[in-house]
Amino acid sequence: MMSVEQPLWRALSGYRILAVLYAVGVFVSSYREYSAPVPGIVFLLVLTCWTFATLRNVASAERCTLPFLVTDILLGVAGILLSPVVDGHGHVGPTLPSIWVAGPVLAFALKGGWRWAAGVSVLVGAANIIERGTMTRTTFHNVLLVCVASVAIGYVIEVARASERTLARALQIEAATRERERLARDIHDSVLQVLAMVQRRGTALGGEAAELGRMAGEQEVALRALVSSGVAPRAPRPDPDAGPGPDAAVPGSGENGAPVAAGGDAAAVTAAATASPTTAGGSAPGDTAPEDTAPGGVVPGAAVSGAGTARGRRAWGGGRRARGAGRRRERAGSAAVPDGAEAASAPCDVRALLAAYAASRVTFAEPGAPVLLPARAAAELAAAVGAALDNVRRHAGGGPGRPAQAWILLEDEPDAVIVTVRDDGPGIPAGRLADAEAEGRMGVALSIRGRLRELGGVAELVSVPGQGTEVEMRVPKHDD
């Protein structure tokens, strides 16, 4: 990013060239009026050579060193004091350096701010008064003009530099925030969902498994607080010899040991956050065990990542079907998304990524022509869709054995790609998402809307109680 003061240094370089040419022109046009022109000729030759030889020194603040500035201003003051010798009769009027002397003053202003400019302006003004021998109105006006202009420019430069530092700091904070949100989404998919499942099933099994579930619940709460606020709560160390009582509450769980969804409860929304559709669709939306379905309508837009779900199922001995679905998703994703960071901007057909989510309870409608997006944007969009479907599978059903139906609609508009995910679940109550975000459960805010925001798009959510929920994800097409 170019510095805000760089154009001023370029303007100063141009001013010095024009000013020295003007001084030479004034001397040539009034040559016959000088009483001793030879010293003037020597001075102007030195001034011209110095001006062109030092153009690099006024190209930037780094090259404009203090020794150069001191030499520059002394040369201008010497020319002012030499003027009475060359123009002994005072017929010409302007001094030998003429307007060139304002260049060193402006250089001091650009380099050191208004304080340096004020000090050098006083020096130039004193030299002009000595050259005239008295304080005339014209001399006073010229000195005042140079002083005000240099001080104003110096002050503007100081403000610009402070603004530039503030902007750089803001960009650093924004970059750190975006990276933190990305890590939060990844942790949400790969760790928090596994901890919630361990907590739920450990509580259901009882005994030593219940203690394991309680510890998993505590770590889930701490980790969720860490990724949402950056501060992890201090939890007491568990006593391995003490088990939870029969009525002990499990942190991070709902009634009867049911896990609280990432949005705050069984009716809130979480979101998948993997950077590829392989993890987002690691488990087929229609292949769900009864114990993974919680009552309550949750909008599509929250999900357990396929990678995290598959790992949890393997840990509890029920993962063949999840692993098979994950392999199918992996093959589909690897065939559609180019490998390597250098291929992140390569065109990718979104249809190939979303088609892997079609199942007995998921209907996919697509255009007849390819829908192209950069590979990274396509993978992020597919991950968000996988999150929505996984959330439908887990939360939008009417109970065990009654999974919800979901529909995916892919649209290719001239300036954007739109994916709509709709389900026929019971919907969510008004204000539930805001309550979930206030409780530190940032599923939708980070994983769905945050992901779309990073792509320059938006995610809109509409839920009508008793009529299901719809999430519309819009990703703009960029030419770059």
Side-chain angles (χ1 to χ4, degrees):
M1 182 177 64
M2 184 179 66
S3 173
V4 293
E5 62 184 85
Q6 192 61 37
L8 296 178
W9 287 104
R10 294 177 180 174
L12 178 60
S13 300
Y15 174 82
R16 288 168 63 88
I17 295 175
L18 295 177
V20 74
L21 294 179
Y22 175 80
V24 172
V26 170
F27 183 85
V28 171
S29 63
S30 306
Y31 179 79
R32 295 182 180 276
E33 301 181 21
Y34 287 105
S35 58
V38 175
I41 294 175
V42 174
F43 172 79
L44 289 177
L45 285 175
V46 173
L47 185 66
T48 302
C49 295
W50 170 261
T51 299
F52 284 95
T54 58
L55 286 179
R56 286 176 53 87
N57 294 86
V58 291
S60 64
E62 293 75 15
R63 294 177 178 177
C64 188
T65 60
L66 185 59
F68 161 75
L69 289 174
V70 172
T71 305
D72 206 41
I73 192 63
L74 290 180
L75 182 62
V77 171
I80 295 174
L81 298 178
L82 184 63
S83 298
V85 177
V86 178
D87 185 19
H89 305 295
H91 294 163
V92 177
T95 60
L96 286 176
S98 185
I99 61 174
W100 182 92
V101 76
V105 178
L106 296 177
F108 268 93
L110 293 178
K111 177 67 175 182
W114 69 270
R115 294 176 180 83
W116 286 24
V120 176
S121 297
V122 171
L123 176 63
V124 173
N128 277 278
I129 294 174
I130 294 174
E131 184 266 338
R132 290 296 177 184
T134 183
M135 173 65 78
T136 65
R137 179 176 298 180
T138 302
T139 302
F140 175 76
H141 287 171
N142 292 338
V143 171
L144 183 62
L145 178 62
V146 172
C147 183
V148 171
S150 59
V151 169
I153 292 177
Y155 179 76
V156 169
I157 284 296
E158 290 185 358
V159 172
R161 286 171 179 166
S163 301
E164 192 172 20
R165 289 192 296 268
T166 302
L167 176 61
R169 177 59 179 165
L171 292 176
Q172 292 177 353
I173 294 175
E174 181 184 5
T177 301
R178 290 167 66 91
E179 178 64 13
R180 179 173 167 183
E181 290 180 355
R182 184 190 67 81
L183 293 175
R185 291 195 300 266
D186 292 343
I187 291 174
H188 172 270
D189 285 344
S190 60
V191 179
L192 291 177
Q193 300 297 345
V194 174
L195 289 175
M197 182 168 55
V198 171
Q199 169 197 358
R200 182 180 70 251
R201 296 193 178 182
T203 302
L205 291 175
E208 295 183 357
E211 172 64 14
L212 177 62
R214 183 185 68 80
M215 296 171 61
E218 292 176 352
Q219 296 305 312
E220 180 197 4
V221 171
L223 185 56
R224 197 179 296 279
L226 178 63
V227 299
S228 62
S229 64
V231 179
R234 297 180 64 86
R237 296 178 62 87
D239 185 1
D241 298 329
D247 298 328
V250 181
S253 64
E255 296 180 0
N256 302 324
V260 176
D265 55 25
V269 181
T270 61
T274 53
S276 70
T278 304
T279 56
S283 57
D287 298 339
T288 176
E291 64 270 20
D292 285 337
T293 304
V298 180
V299 270
V304 179
S305 76
T309 305
R311 282 194 294 270
R313 286 179 175 171
R314 284 197 296 270
W316 290 92
R320 288 185 179 178
R321 191 167 48 186
R323 288 194 296 270
R327 294 190 186 101
R328 292 194 298 270
R329 302 285 194 258
E330 186 176 356
R331 288 194 296 269
S334 62
V337 181
D339 293 332
E342 69 280 358
S345 60
C348 176
D349 192 354
V350 181
R351 300 180 307 166
L353 302 180
L354 300 186
Y357 297 128
S360 60
R361 304 291 298 179
V362 179
T363 302
F364 176 47
E366 61 183 301
V371 181
L372 300 179
L373 279 178
R376 175 183 172 273
E380 295 278 0
L381 179 60
V385 172
L389 293 175
D390 215 355
N391 194 71
V392 172
R393 173 182 61 83
R394 296 182 65 246
H395 300 295
R402 297 174 57 190
Q405 180 72 38
W407 294 267
I408 308 174
L409 174 62
L410 174 62
E411 301 175 87
D412 188 10
E413 294 189 350
D415 59 344
V417 172
I418 301 176
V419 179
T420 304
V421 179
R422 183 170 60 88
D423 70 82
D424 59 356
I428 60 172
R432 183 63 59 85
L433 289 180
D435 294 341
E437 185 172 345
E439 294 171 4
R441 299 182 177 271
M442 310 292 289
V444 170
L446 294 181
S447 297
I448 294 297
R449 290 173 180 157
R451 187 186 302 277
L452 270 294
R453 183 171 59 250
E454 287 188 1
L455 298 177
V458 294
E460 298 181 357
L461 184 148
V462 178
S463 180
V464 179
Q467 300 182 22
T469 307
E470 180 178 296
V471 175
E472 180 181 281
M473 293 166 274
R474 176 186 291 266
V475 178
K477 298 179 178 178
H478 298 290
D479 296 334
D480 53 353

